[in-house]
Amino acid sequence: MSKIKPSQGAAYARIMGVGGYRPTRVVPNEVILETIDSSDEWIRSRSGIATRHWASEEETVAAMSIEASGKAIADAGITPEQIGAVIVSTVSHFKQTPAIATEIAHKIGAGKPAAFDISAGCAGFGYGLTLAKGLIVEGSAEYVLVIGVERLSDLTDLHDRATAFLFGDGAGAVVVGPSKAPAIGPTVWGSEGDKSETIKQTVAWDEFHADRPEKFPAITQEGQAVFRWAVFEMAKVAQQALDAAGITPEDLDVFIPHQANMRIIDSMVKTLKLPEHVTVARDVETTGNTSAASIPLAMERLLATGQAKSGDTALVIGFGAGLVYAATVVTLP
């Protein structure tokens, strides 16, 4: 018989607070057109993006995360000392070790929480949310800070006509805590490693040295292949998340997909047959694709503008490099 004491976790978990940070510099399509042969009309028609935010030298991955985290903690009505774990999803923190989560935890005054980074691309927020829920229900933490943060301008090839206009910078954070009722549904997640080459970094870090001729690593993708996969396969995953939560599209109040591309978002809405009353996040128009930060940033904006309200039922889904995906139904804080 095991001598290990059973864990004393919460029955359920919920999102308690949300915060976001967008860099101060707003970059219109006209700036992108300085380095690629295209047009504002073409960019808008292909992606729905009009502007994006690019970080300054001072707006580091840590600095943006700290700003977003402070807002989320205040929104949750707790103190930093109550945070038991910090999970950061990012692909643009360039130090292999230590994890940026440890620096963030220290600078927000969280004491000595568990702190680690994950790399799940544009599905990273969903992965982090699922891990946070598990930690709370299992009893390893009472409150978990989940951060999605990217400085994708550092990984953007401004001469690549297929991707130069897509990416932006920013940070989004949520506090996940205990709940007496279900407020984060089962996660439908997974990966399709046979498609890992469709979104990738051009040069691996161990191949990049100052005395070699390679350009600094950038993100590249096979746009049409990714579009088809996102539209057709991710709609199926979204439906599976609804089924797992035991609800139908008519029960939804809000749909918050990864802000990759307006055409992808609109196609998913059509495929899922979402009713007209469902509010759809379209933050990509002014924020661009911020990868792991896109869902919490879009969530924060919907709540701040009154397009969504506390207690609404929302379907969130992230998908991207790997190819990986994660979808779940949540109650908005």
Side-chain angles (χ1 to χ4, degrees):
M1 180 179 293
S2 174
K3 298 180 180 180
I4 299 173
K5 181 181 178 181
S7 59
Q8 301 295 316
Y12 306 103
R14 66 187 178 99
I15 300 175
M16 299 179 58
V18 59
Y21 180 82
R22 292 172 172 82
T24 55
R25 183 187 177 192
V26 178
V27 180
N29 288 338
E30 285 73 19
V31 172
I32 306 299
L33 297 175
E34 294 174 5
T35 52
I36 62 171
D37 180 17
S38 187
S39 68
D40 177 63
E41 189 280 330
W42 187 89
I43 292 174
R44 289 174 185 257
S45 66
R46 300 290 291 184
S47 69
I49 298 172
T51 61
R52 72 284 293 146
H53 295 255
W54 283 355
S56 66
E57 186 175 345
E58 292 76 25
E59 291 169 316
T60 62
V61 166
M64 293 190 293
S65 298
I66 290 166
E67 290 291 332
S69 298
K71 295 176 183 177
I73 291 169
D75 192 42
I78 66 169
T79 65
E81 293 83 1
Q82 292 176 275
I83 299 294
V86 177
I87 303 171
V88 177
S89 178
T90 185
V91 298
S92 47
H93 170 54
F94 294 154
K95 288 183 179 178
Q96 198 75 32
T97 191
I100 194 64
T102 59
E103 178 183 342
I104 294 167
H106 171 68
K107 289 186 175 178
I108 64 173
K112 299 180 180 180
F116 57 96
D117 298 350
I118 61 173
S119 176
C122 303
F125 176 73
Y127 275 53
L129 189 64
T130 303
L131 293 172
K133 173 185 173 182
L135 290 173
I136 292 164
V137 173
E138 186 271 337
S140 291
E142 185 175 12
Y143 301 102
V144 180
L145 179 64
V146 179
I147 303 166
V149 57
E150 301 293 1
R151 273 182 54 121
L152 294 180
S153 58
D154 292 334
L155 287 168
T156 299
D157 180 354
L158 294 179
H159 297 277
D160 179 6
R161 190 172 184 269
T163 62
F165 57 89
L166 288 175
F167 301 117
D169 303 335
V174 299
V175 171
V176 182
S179 175
K180 295 181 179 179
I184 301 175
T187 298
V188 176
W189 58 354
S191 65
E192 297 185 25
D194 60 316
K195 301 179 181 67
S196 61
E197 292 295 302
T198 56
I199 305 175
K200 63 181 181 180
Q201 184 172 301
T202 53
V203 181
W205 294 119
D206 61 353
E207 297 173 2
F208 180 76
H209 302 283
D211 59 347
R212 291 174 65 100
E214 291 92 352
K215 292 170 63 178
F216 192 79
I219 296 174
T220 184
Q221 70 174 22
E222 297 175 14
Q224 287 301 315
V226 173
F227 180 88
R228 289 192 297 270
W229 176 78
V231 169
F232 297 109
E233 297 303 321
M234 291 305 97
K236 298 176 186 177
V237 171
Q239 183 60 57
Q240 290 170 20
L242 291 174
D243 294 342
I247 67 173
T248 68
E250 288 72 24
D251 298 317
L252 278 180
D253 300 304
V254 185
F255 179 44
I256 311 177
H258 164 49
Q259 302 294 293
N261 181 304
M262 196 75 79
R263 292 171 63 208
I264 291 175
I265 294 171
D266 290 341
S267 294
M268 290 183 71
V269 169
K270 183 177 180 180
T271 302
L272 287 167
K273 296 182 173 62
L274 295 185
E276 290 187 6
H277 75 262
V278 176
T279 297
V280 179
R282 291 188 170 89
D283 193 45
V284 66
E285 180 180 4
T286 56
T287 307
N289 179 345
T290 56
S291 189
S294 78
I295 291 175
L297 278 174
M299 182 185 295
E300 186 227 21
R301 176 161 281 174
L302 289 176
L303 289 166
T305 58
Q307 296 177 73
K309 62 183 185 299
S310 175
D312 278 353
T313 299
L315 169 63
V316 299
I317 179 170
F319 44 86
L323 293 169
V324 295
Y325 53 87
T328 187
V329 175
V330 304
T331 301
L332 294 183

